[in-house]
Amino acid sequence: DANALWGGRFGSGPAAIMQQINASIGFDQKLWAQDIAGSKAHATMLAAQGIISDADRDAILAGLDQVAREIAEGRFTFTVENEDIHMNVESRLKEIIGEPAGRLHTARSRNDQVATDFKLWVRDAFDRLDTDIQALQAALIDRAEQFPDLIMPGFTHLQTAQPVTFGHHLLAYVEMLGRDRARMRDARKRLNECPLGSAALAGTPYPINREATAAALGFDRPTANSLDAVSDRDFALDYLAAASICGTHLSRLAEEIVIWCTSQFRFIRLTDAFTTGSSIMPQKRNPDAAELVRAKVGRVIGALNGLLIVMKGLPLAYSKDMQEDKEPVFMADETLALCLAATTGMIRDLTPDPAAMRRAVEAGFPTATDLADWLVRSLGVPFRDAHHITGRIVKLAEEAGTGLAEVPLEKMQAVHPGITDAVYGVLTLEASVNSRTSFGGTAPARVREAVAAAKQRFL
Ligand code: ARG
């Protein structure tokens, strides 16, 4: 049979395959609470404007509440015949309250309805994510507070560069996640304009009050252009872009966890709760959760690319292509929440191995820059020359198979006669990190301050 809600001019119903490709109820039922909230705001406004009677409004509101209860309690049967969440709700409303249900869609289209519902959903998703990201920041800050002076190698090109502290390294991720939260707050603010009342694309002749529905749904104001309002999916792209950047941060941390867990590095150990064994190699402890975070973030970035490609060719205003906006966002949201929770778990679970970190950092002449800086400060050598002199001393140490601090003074003086005993004071790892006191630097005193500041800024 033809569709009861839009089938007036249709002689027969859709082909089975038409119904299958057209129906979105399989995924957009996630929007049920937003759809009912939007309909209640719309009906309330219609009555306030004298467009429907108060009696019809009351019937509609009571009926929508019943639909909401049925869905919440799992007693609602979604059908593909009703295509999407909007028509599933409305046709059930009609079964419950009869004729007044037909007045709900006055001065409204599914085009402004779906844009409104989806914005409400994405807005909630931003709020949930903010809490999840903050929980990971809290875990990182806790662990940083525990290890403000634990020395490990800092890398560039994954080659030992200069000693840093483990607390400082963890706090780097707290900053990234802080920017992720700010990006999401910013996107949330930008999406908070209400499309409802834009109708199909051109607005409506009914004397509606768009400020009222916008306010009732917690939006800051109505959208300013009806064509834009029904064709805009920037908010979904903003969501996926912010989620992709956040995911990229999680993936980089996951990659570090994988590296740190190798027997070559052994910087950290994860407990049995966050590792798995191999079915053939009994010695293995694999950091699967980190590997899966690293991999799953690929889906989120894929979702962003997918929706960009859907949107890039669409003329104004609504096209059915836009129905493809929801699954990537729902999937990305689920994935990111899972990755955040797993990462928070790993950060709380890990135990660093200070001896392994020290062995690794000592192997790489990490205080070479400190030696060069000493030549500049104590002897007035230009930095470029100091760099060269230090390079020659590094070569001596390398040939002797020792660290810089073990190169005898006479050998150093053979490279530069002005070098004195005092140089050994800057060649230890502790001296190196303690000296990095510039704001944002790795000196333990600075890291302790940064922990306190991070608590203020983020928790
Ligand atoms: N299910 C549709 C979507 O998600 C709702 C809007 C349908 N509008 C239309 N004119 N067919 O995009």
Side-chain angles (χ1 to χ4, degrees), residues 24-219:
S24 55
I25 188 61
F27 49 87
D28 69 12
Q29 53 184 268
K30 256 189 196 291
L31 298 177
W32 69 268
Q34 290 77 12
D35 194 70
I36 288 173
S39 288
K40 288 174 76 172
H42 186 66
T44 303
M45 180 278 291
L46 290 177
Q49 299 296 108
I51 301 168
I52 64 171
S53 70
D54 288 358
D56 284 345
R57 175 200 58 204
D58 293 344
I60 290 169
L61 295 182
L64 287 170
D65 282 339
Q66 182 177 329
V67 175
R69 274 196 304 278
E70 290 177 6
I71 299 176
E73 291 164 12
R75 292 186 283 115
F76 190 96
T77 318
F78 295 101
T79 68
V80 279
E81 287 72 22
N82 281 313
E83 263 182 61
D84 58 22
I85 185 60
H86 324 294
M87 300 212 303
N88 269 268
V89 169
E90 192 183 318
S91 69
R92 178 67 187 130
L93 182 67
K94 180 132 192 263
E95 285 173 8
I96 299 169
I97 67 169
E99 194 252 16
R103 302 185 190 280
L104 171 58
H105 213 50
T106 314
R108 185 176 79 168
S109 152
R110 274 187 293 158
N111 296 349
D112 58 337
Q113 192 179 355
V114 71
T116 304
D117 292 3
F118 197 25
K119 275 191 167 185
L120 289 171
W121 193 92
V122 170
R123 196 173 73 184
D124 287 347
F126 275 136
D127 293 344
R128 282 194 304 273
L129 269 184
D130 188 69
T131 306
D132 293 352
I133 298 173
Q134 189 186 41
L136 176 53
Q137 286 182 305
L140 289 160
I141 292 169
D142 275 356
R143 302 314 303 270
E145 183 164 38
Q146 214 179 333
F147 301 108
D149 49 14
L150 171 56
I151 293 175
M152 67 180 282
F155 298 97
T156 61
H157 314 267
L158 199 55
Q159 307 284 322
T160 298
Q162 294 174 351
V164 296
T165 71
F166 190 54
H168 194 55
H169 195 112
L170 295 177
L171 288 181
Y173 284 96
V174 173
E175 294 300 317
M176 298 178 220
L177 296 167
R179 290 193 296 276
D180 290 329
R181 290 174 67 194
R183 228 182 316 277
M184 290 179 191
R185 270 200 301 278
D186 179 54
R188 186 195 192 284
K189 214 178 286 163
R190 193 165 34 249
L191 76 63
N192 213 25
E193 297 182 339
C194 186
L196 203 56
S198 300
L201 74 165
T204 174
Y206 293 97
I208 59 171
N209 181 349
R210 295 193 58 208
E211 276 74 17
T213 43
L217 295 169
F219 287 103

